[in-house]
Amino acid sequence: MKKRKTLLHLWTRNYVITLVIGLIVISIISVMWIRHTTLEHRLNMTVLLGEEIASRFVEVNGGEPEQYGDVPGYVTERNELLNLESDPTIYITAPDGTIVSVSDNQKRLFRFYIPSKLIHSENTVQQLNFDESTVGSYYMVKTPILFYEQLVGWVVLIESKEVLTKVNQEYQLLLIIVISLGLLGWAAIYFLSKKFVKPIEQVAFAAKQVEQGQYDVRLPDELGEQELYELVDSFKNMTDRLEQLESLRKELLAGVTHELKTPVTSISGLLQAVKDEVVTGEEAKEFLEISLKETNRLQHMIGDLVEFNSLHAKQFPIRNAKMEINQLINEQVKQWQITQEEPVDCVMKPLDNDLFIQIDSARLQQIIVNLLNNAKHSFDKVEARIEILLRHKGNQLEIEVKDNGAGIREDEQKNIFERFFRGEEKKYKVRGLGLGLPFSKLIAQAMDGDLILKESSEKGTSFLLTLPIYK
């Protein structure tokens, strides 16, 4: 069996991978941005340094080229003042680019003169790319030396790109920030996921308990997350419903067993009495007639079970034929009235206009008879009355069966379509398996319709059968 990993492990791992990739991308972009801004800042400072040196030469030497001198001390002083963090090579040149002076202890890229195209370029800052013998890239900053608006020379500062972009403290700070964000993100997702996963683990554990038949499960009541609350609440409602259905199943199984056992016991006792000649003559015939009635009732109950199982397994044929609905319902109601031992006041309100539909008349009669029998057994009043109302709404036919009986108890209404269910009042008054309403609902659904309890109270009960009208 494949070993599965916990949700906490998967979420934490995937988040950490995403976090690390994101931080790496951010770090690369940050390093590039730091290098770029550092380069721009230092080039600007180098430009300022060149302007300072040019002004200083004019001020000290009066613009005489032959008096140009070396300025290492001045440059160092200015570097510290401007916080340039570099020591560029400084060239003092004549107007044509001939080198007059250069700072000491620096790598000299130009020995005697600076190329004219560089000196006369309009760009103050220029990037220099030499041949393969020169390692790295360099930047050149040139500033004119003006004496009474006359060009008397140039101050040229050259520094390598590597030095200009070199930073240490910023990278260390960036590394600390990235590591801190990584640890904080991992801790946050771990503890948040742990809090989120805990109720799911509790629901999973409770599901295992339900699987083992233990319906008394405990789950947290107070959850701030809407989705988790709905999950837990739905599971608790499902568990309560399963517990009710399991209790109902045991009770109904016992009832069905009793209903099937009673006629068998009765038949066995009656036939044994006749066999042993405990009764003879007319009394023996009466015992045999009672046995036949009980046998017929037993056969009827077994037939109901077989039909119900066939319908539930979708092996129940529906044979539609074109019928006029007013005439069909009227005939079925009259047939039912004739078979009743006592007359029942049953009124039908037909459709205003004749309507022909495709319907399985035999299956529809089963539903109508079940609803009428159900209505008849609810009477506890002297003036009992049943109404059958037909309505045509859109592409549906509605058949409502109303009675003025005692009604169905509110706590029993949700279970009336459960197989083998019989209410407390009917359980002791009516013999049967409790398959009438569930069977009728399945037939209605097999015909693409439905059967619902519309309303029930002390004033009576109303069932609504809906069937499609095919054109």
Side-chain angles (χ1 to χ4, degrees), residues 52 62 69 86 165 196 212 252 306 358 371-372 375 397 446:
E52 286 283 338
S86 66
T165 57
F196 181 76
Q212 297 172 358
L252 296 180
V306 172
Q358 294 288 336
L371 291 177
L372 293 175
L397 171 68

Short mmCIF file of all heavy atoms in Angstrom, two decimals, residues 52 62 69 86 165 196 212 252 306 358 371-372 375 397 446:
data_model
loop_
_atom_site.label_atom_id
_atom_site.label_comp_id
_atom_site.label_asym_id
_atom_site.label_seq_id
_atom_site.Cartn_x
_atom_site.Cartn_y
_atom_site.Cartn_z
N GLU A 52 35.42 69.18 -8.37
CA GLU A 52 36.18 69.75 -7.26
C GLU A 52 37.65 69.88 -7.63
O GLU A 52 38.31 70.90 -7.35
CB GLU A 52 36.00 68.88 -6.01
CG GLU A 52 34.66 69.00 -5.34
CD GLU A 52 34.54 70.28 -4.53
OE1 GLU A 52 35.59 70.86 -4.16
OE2 GLU A 52 33.40 70.71 -4.29
N GLY A 62 46.16 79.01 -11.13
CA GLY A 62 45.86 80.15 -11.99
C GLY A 62 45.71 79.78 -13.44
O GLY A 62 45.89 80.62 -14.32
N GLY A 69 50.33 70.31 -10.82
CA GLY A 69 51.10 69.48 -9.90
C GLY A 69 50.35 68.24 -9.54
O GLY A 69 49.23 68.00 -9.97
N SER A 86 36.30 54.56 -3.05
CA SER A 86 37.15 54.09 -4.15
C SER A 86 38.31 55.08 -4.32
O SER A 86 38.25 56.21 -3.83
CB SER A 86 36.35 53.97 -5.45
OG SER A 86 35.94 55.25 -5.89
N THR A 165 30.97 48.99 -8.11
CA THR A 165 29.76 48.23 -7.71
C THR A 165 30.00 47.35 -6.50
O THR A 165 29.10 46.59 -6.10
CB THR A 165 29.28 47.36 -8.88
OG1 THR A 165 30.34 46.48 -9.28
CG2 THR A 165 28.84 48.20 -10.05
N PHE A 196 -5.09 24.78 10.94
CA PHE A 196 -6.10 24.51 9.93
C PHE A 196 -6.37 23.01 9.77
O PHE A 196 -7.50 22.59 9.54
CB PHE A 196 -5.63 25.12 8.60
CG PHE A 196 -6.60 24.93 7.47
CD1 PHE A 196 -7.75 25.68 7.40
CD2 PHE A 196 -6.36 23.98 6.48
CE1 PHE A 196 -8.65 25.51 6.35
CE2 PHE A 196 -7.25 23.80 5.44
CZ PHE A 196 -8.39 24.57 5.38
N GLN A 212 -17.11 2.41 12.12
CA GLN A 212 -17.17 1.29 13.05
C GLN A 212 -18.49 1.22 13.80
O GLN A 212 -18.65 0.38 14.69
CB GLN A 212 -16.02 1.40 14.05
CG GLN A 212 -14.64 1.29 13.39
CD GLN A 212 -13.51 1.59 14.35
OE1 GLN A 212 -13.74 1.91 15.52
NE2 GLN A 212 -12.28 1.51 13.86
N LEU A 252 -37.43 -0.68 12.54
CA LEU A 252 -38.25 -1.10 11.42
C LEU A 252 -38.00 -2.55 11.04
O LEU A 252 -38.92 -3.27 10.63
CB LEU A 252 -37.97 -0.19 10.22
CG LEU A 252 -38.36 1.28 10.40
CD1 LEU A 252 -38.03 2.07 9.15
CD2 LEU A 252 -39.82 1.42 10.75
N VAL A 306 -40.83 -7.58 -3.16
CA VAL A 306 -40.19 -7.90 -4.43
C VAL A 306 -40.26 -6.71 -5.38
O VAL A 306 -39.27 -6.32 -6.02
CB VAL A 306 -40.84 -9.14 -5.07
CG1 VAL A 306 -40.32 -9.35 -6.48
CG2 VAL A 306 -40.58 -10.37 -4.21
N GLN A 358 -48.55 11.16 -21.99
CA GLN A 358 -47.94 9.82 -22.04
C GLN A 358 -47.68 9.38 -20.60
O GLN A 358 -46.90 9.99 -19.89
CB GLN A 358 -46.63 9.85 -22.82
CG GLN A 358 -46.79 10.18 -24.29
CD GLN A 358 -47.42 9.03 -25.07
OE1 GLN A 358 -47.34 7.87 -24.67
NE2 GLN A 358 -48.07 9.36 -26.19
N LEU A 371 -51.92 6.61 -1.98
CA LEU A 371 -52.23 7.90 -1.34
C LEU A 371 -53.65 7.88 -0.75
O LEU A 371 -53.87 8.42 0.35
CB LEU A 371 -52.10 9.03 -2.37
CG LEU A 371 -50.68 9.34 -2.86
CD1 LEU A 371 -50.70 10.43 -3.92
CD2 LEU A 371 -49.78 9.77 -1.70
N LEU A 372 -54.60 7.29 -1.46
CA LEU A 372 -55.97 7.21 -0.95
C LEU A 372 -56.05 6.32 0.28
O LEU A 372 -56.75 6.64 1.25
CB LEU A 372 -56.91 6.71 -2.05
CG LEU A 372 -57.10 7.66 -3.25
CD1 LEU A 372 -57.96 6.99 -4.32
CD2 LEU A 372 -57.74 8.97 -2.80
N ALA A 375 -54.64 8.20 3.13
CA ALA A 375 -55.58 9.22 3.61
C ALA A 375 -56.70 8.59 4.43
O ALA A 375 -57.10 9.11 5.47
CB ALA A 375 -56.15 10.00 2.43
N LEU A 397 -47.82 18.27 -14.72
CA LEU A 397 -49.15 17.96 -14.21
C LEU A 397 -49.04 17.75 -12.71
O LEU A 397 -48.19 16.98 -12.24
CB LEU A 397 -49.70 16.69 -14.88
CG LEU A 397 -50.99 16.13 -14.27
CD1 LEU A 397 -52.17 17.07 -14.52
CD2 LEU A 397 -51.29 14.74 -14.83
N ALA A 446 -39.35 7.31 -11.10
CA ALA A 446 -39.08 6.49 -12.29
C ALA A 446 -39.79 7.04 -13.51
O ALA A 446 -39.35 6.83 -14.65
CB ALA A 446 -39.50 5.04 -12.03
#
